[in-house]
Amino acid sequence: MITNSYAGATTQIRTPTGLTTDIPVLSGVKQGCPLSPIIFNLTIDLILRAIKRSASNNGPAKVHGIHSLADKCASISLTCSNNSQSSFELNEFIVQNKPIPPLDRENAYKYLGVPIGLIHDPDNISDLVQDLTRDLESIKKSLSAPRQKLDMIRTFLQPSLTFALRPGFPKKDNLLRVGGLGLLNPTVEADVQAIIRAVKMLSCSDPTLSNIAIAEINQTVRLASRSNPTPALKSKYLSSLPDDRLTNLRYNILSLWTRVRKSTCNLGVEIQFNDNGLPILSTQNSGSVLAKEASRFLHFHVQDSFASTLLALPDQGKVGRALTTGTFANGSTWQYNGLNIRFRDWRFIHRARLNCLPVNNVKSRWSNSCPKCRHCNSDETLPHVLCHCLRNMPSILRRHNTIVDRIVNAVQSGTVTTDQQVRAANSRLRPDIMVEEDNKLLIIDACCPFDNNAEALRDAEQRKLNKYEGLKQFFVGQGKQCEVFGFVIGALGSWHPANENVLRELGMSKRYRSLFRKLCWTDAIQGSTNIYREHLGITEGSVDADNSE
């Protein structure tokens, strides 16, 4: 498969007069392809092994006819000593009879867009941000599906920025202040990468590198505090913890360690040194990890911090608090696989969950417009539009019936009746679903309340249980086993945990349960999208109306 993907590969160059003819690609790997680093590593491994085997021989080592390209290489020569300052030399190395250009003190070599050298260019990050911004605009204008656009950003753009942030000292004013949908704010990512770089240097398995890092932090703390850099003092310095010796710092030269000190303060992270001298990361609300777990630990910490901030909002956190009651991807798996999600659903659901849709009640907060519903006298809130407006009742019923049909199709055995009165019970109640098998009877009634905090889902279930308690007692009086279940799906895709009882009673396999939940979530979201569009009078193919959402 790899051979086929490279065989006959060609490229073209776009010029003012049009595209050139096909240019064969006869060497190298495809730039930007996720497979390319793997192919490169496999190839370079063969070269390194061959060089080791031929180290005692004279002449260049050749593997499968591969030659090095001197114009794509550079070298830096440093002599490090514990007793004296490191010295710099200009040495010319010969590889395959070709000289490798050496770098002087002021020059840098760009690797994947990042300058590497003795002196790092702090302004280069602004150029990189401009390039990434152009790429973002290109992705935005592409005809890819929304989930595909997110995947491209996560796979190609975000790693490029992360790679640049780790070795450099970026000015945060140059970074894009954006985030959401799993994309981390670059200003926060800069702090994360600074801490990761520091703890990995201090924990490096190479004693030369770790000793250099330890010497640097010792020197920084000694100059800043005029005190002996004990493990406790270094921990307080890097963690921005209070200490009289660190009140008025006497050392303000920019370095990795001063950057880490600011980063731990911004993120609420502490760096402690254990008995072995290795750094340990910890936060107030989580455990502690060593350097190898630093990246995962810090990114989860940041995500939790942003999630907590959102959930604490009195208005926009309501749907979020309802979503957290589910333990199965929170009704948002469609963001990554696009299962049953239409473009119009995508445009609707994110704004809906944040209460940013232009319904009259929301618009009245920022203008003098009337908050009343355009079809009745109630306030036009999103819950009113999706669940209560009388004009929308036919569409609300269709959303409900779609979920009922989904449950009915999942029943594997027994006699099923839907929306039928139980005449023998002298009751006017019409349960959505009754499943009778042998001497056992299940009563299932579905509903789609608005996701107004987790309590709204629990209250909706309790109303169903109370509603059919009398009918349950009737069947019990006839000597039958009877259970009543309220099946609750939020109008914006929240999953009520008690729904799991229904899935178990219907005998669903674990695999089918996972699919069933996702289908129910998307059924609710699609139904709510249709209700909202009909309420605003948005017709099929109305592009301008879609954009106004």
Side-chain angles (χ1 to χ4, degrees):
M1 292 177 65
I2 296 174
T3 301
N4 289 340
S5 69
Y6 276 83
T10 61
T11 186
Q12 291 178 309
I13 300 175
R14 184 182 293 111
T15 70
T17 59
L19 295 175
T20 65
T21 58
D22 289 344
I23 303 172
V25 179
L26 303 178
S27 65
V29 292
K30 296 179 180 179
Q31 187 172 1
C33 175
L35 185 62
S36 294
I38 300 175
I39 299 176
F40 177 84
N41 289 341
L42 292 173
T43 305
I44 202 69
D45 183 68
L46 294 174
I47 297 174
L48 294 176
R49 291 175 186 271
I51 291 175
K52 289 181 179 180
R53 286 196 301 267
S54 61
S56 58
N57 301 326
N58 295 325
K62 296 182 180 180
V63 183
H64 300 302
I66 297 175
H67 294 265
S68 68
L69 299 177
D71 58 344
K72 297 184 66 176
C73 303
S75 68
I76 300 177
S77 298
L78 290 173
T79 301
C80 302
S81 173
N82 294 331
N83 301 323
S84 62
Q85 187 177 5
S86 299
S87 61
F88 174 83
E89 299 178 3
L90 285 174
N91 292 318
E92 187 176 75
F93 295 95
I94 305 297
V95 176
Q96 290 186 343
N97 296 325
K98 297 178 182 178
I100 301 299
L103 297 179
D104 58 26
R105 289 182 180 274
E106 291 74 24
N107 290 346
Y109 178 82
K110 280 194 173 182
Y111 176 69
L112 296 181
V114 178
I116 300 174
L118 291 182
I119 301 177
H120 180 75
D121 182 5
D123 297 326
N124 184 264
I125 192 69
S126 61
D127 297 334
L128 177 62
V129 168
Q130 291 178 3
D131 294 340
L132 294 180
T133 301
R134 287 193 293 268
D135 292 339
L136 280 172
E137 288 297 324
S138 300
I139 292 175
K140 178 183 177 182
K141 295 177 182 178
S142 72
L143 299 180
S144 302
R147 65 179 181 85
Q148 294 171 327
K149 294 179 180 180
L150 283 178
D151 184 61
M152 285 188 283
I153 294 172
R154 291 192 187 95
T155 303
F156 301 108
L157 301 193
Q158 191 165 5
S160 298
L161 182 59
T162 298
F163 182 84
L165 292 176
R166 183 170 293 183
F169 297 90
K171 296 178 180 179
K172 291 191 176 181
D173 292 341
N174 294 329
L175 298 178
L176 301 173
R177 297 180 180 273
V178 295
L181 293 176
L183 306 177
L184 197 58
N185 185 326
T187 59
V188 177
E189 181 69 13
D191 289 332
V192 169
Q193 294 304 325
I195 298 174
I196 293 173
R197 181 187 177 194
V199 297
K200 288 195 173 183
M201 287 178 62
L202 292 168
S203 305
C204 183
S205 58
D206 186 331
T208 302
L209 294 179
S210 61
N211 289 337
I212 293 174
I214 293 172
E216 285 185 353
I217 183 59
N218 288 343
Q219 181 185 33
T220 300
V221 174
R222 183 182 295 109
L223 293 175
S225 65
R226 296 290 193 265
S227 301
N228 183 37
T230 63
L233 184 58
K234 289 189 292 185
S235 299
K236 290 182 178 180
Y237 178 85
L238 291 179
S239 305
S240 295
L241 297 177
D243 189 284
D244 293 339
R245 294 166 292 181
L246 302 174
T247 301
N248 297 313
L249 295 182
R250 302 174 177 84
Y251 191 65
N252 295 319
I253 297 177
L254 179 64
S255 69
L256 172 62
W257 314 107
T258 58
R259 180 184 169 195
V260 170
R261 178 176 169 81
K262 294 179 180 179
S263 298
T264 55
C265 180
N266 293 338
L267 301 183
V269 175
E270 293 186 11
I271 300 178
Q272 303 291 336
F273 290 87
N274 61 15
D275 296 336
N276 297 325
L278 299 178
I280 298 175
L281 288 177
S282 64
T283 63
Q284 186 176 4
N285 299 321
S286 61
S288 58
V289 297
L290 294 174
K292 63 180 181 180
E293 297 290 336
S295 180
R296 180 192 61 83
F297 177 81
L298 290 174
H299 284 105
F300 279 146
H301 168 66
V302 171
Q303 290 174 10
D304 288 342
S305 298
F306 279 110
S308 299
T309 301
L310 174 62
L311 297 178
L313 297 177
D315 180 30
Q316 293 186 309
K318 291 179 179 178
V319 177
R321 291 191 290 270
L323 287 168
T324 56
T325 60
T327 57
F328 306 98
N330 294 335
S332 301
T333 53
W334 41 266
Q335 291 184 4
Y336 302 98
N337 56 29
L339 178 66
N340 282 8
I341 198 79
R342 305 167 300 184
F343 291 170
R344 67 184 64 174
D345 302 326
W346 186 279
R347 289 191 290 268
F348 163 82
I349 188 60
H350 298 294
R351 294 177 175 89
R353 288 180 170 180
L354 293 175
N355 198 22
C356 294
L357 289 170
V359 294
N360 288 340
N361 183 269
V362 172
K363 292 192 294 184
S364 67
R365 301 180 186 181
W366 318 111
S367 65
N368 294 326
S369 60
C370 178
K372 296 297 181 181
C373 177
R374 64 199 71 194
H375 301 299
C376 64
N377 292 325
S378 301
D379 280 356
E380 191 178 75
T381 62
L382 190 59
H384 169 77
V385 172
L386 298 183
C387 300
H388 305 297
C389 187
L390 293 178
R391 181 185 181 276
N392 300 335
M393 283 303 162
S395 299
I396 293 173
L397 181 61
R398 282 195 294 271
R399 179 184 62 192
H400 167 272
N401 290 344
T402 299
I403 294 175
V404 170
D405 292 341
R406 182 76 64 189
I407 300 173
V408 170
N409 292 336
V411 177
Q412 300 180 4
S413 60
T415 303
V416 181
T417 57
T418 59
D419 194 28
Q420 297 293 324
Q421 284 183 260
V422 182
R423 300 187 180 277
N426 194 24
S427 172
R428 300 180 63 182
L429 296 177
R430 305 168 68 96
D432 287 333
I433 303 171
M434 289 197 301
V435 182
E436 186 172 5
E437 184 176 13
D438 299 330
N439 201 40
K440 187 175 182 179
L441 187 70
L442 301 179
I443 298 177
I444 305 172
D445 212 59
C447 62
C448 285
F450 190 79
D451 318 53
N452 191 9
N453 291 312
E455 294 79 7
L457 307 182
R458 291 195 294 267
D459 292 345
E461 181 206 11
Q462 190 59 49
R463 286 193 296 270
K464 294 297 182 183
L465 299 180
N466 296 340
K467 180 179 179 179
Y468 292 100
E469 179 62 26
L471 194 59
K472 174 183 176 179
Q473 296 303 324
F474 168 77
F475 288 115
V476 172
Q478 290 188 329
K480 296 183 178 180
Q481 299 179 25
C482 182
E483 294 291 341
V484 177
F485 298 99
F487 191 84
V488 184
I489 296 288
L492 298 180
S494 299
W495 178 265
H496 185 41
N499 293 345
E500 296 299 309
N501 298 328
V502 177
L503 308 192
R504 283 192 291 270
E505 288 291 339
L506 295 181
M508 290 187 190
S509 64
K510 183 178 180 181
R511 182 177 181 180
Y512 183 64
R513 287 185 202 178
S514 177
L515 175 62
F516 183 81
R517 296 185 198 101
K518 296 172 185 176
L519 294 175
C520 289
W521 288 324
T522 53
D523 284 341
I525 293 172
Q526 284 192 9
S528 295
T529 303
N530 295 339
I531 294 169
Y532 171 77
R533 290 169 63 88
E534 292 172 10
H535 184 89
L536 268 63
I538 301 175
T539 58
E540 293 291 332
S542 179
V543 177
D544 292 338
D546 276 357
N547 291 336
S548 71
E549 297 175 19

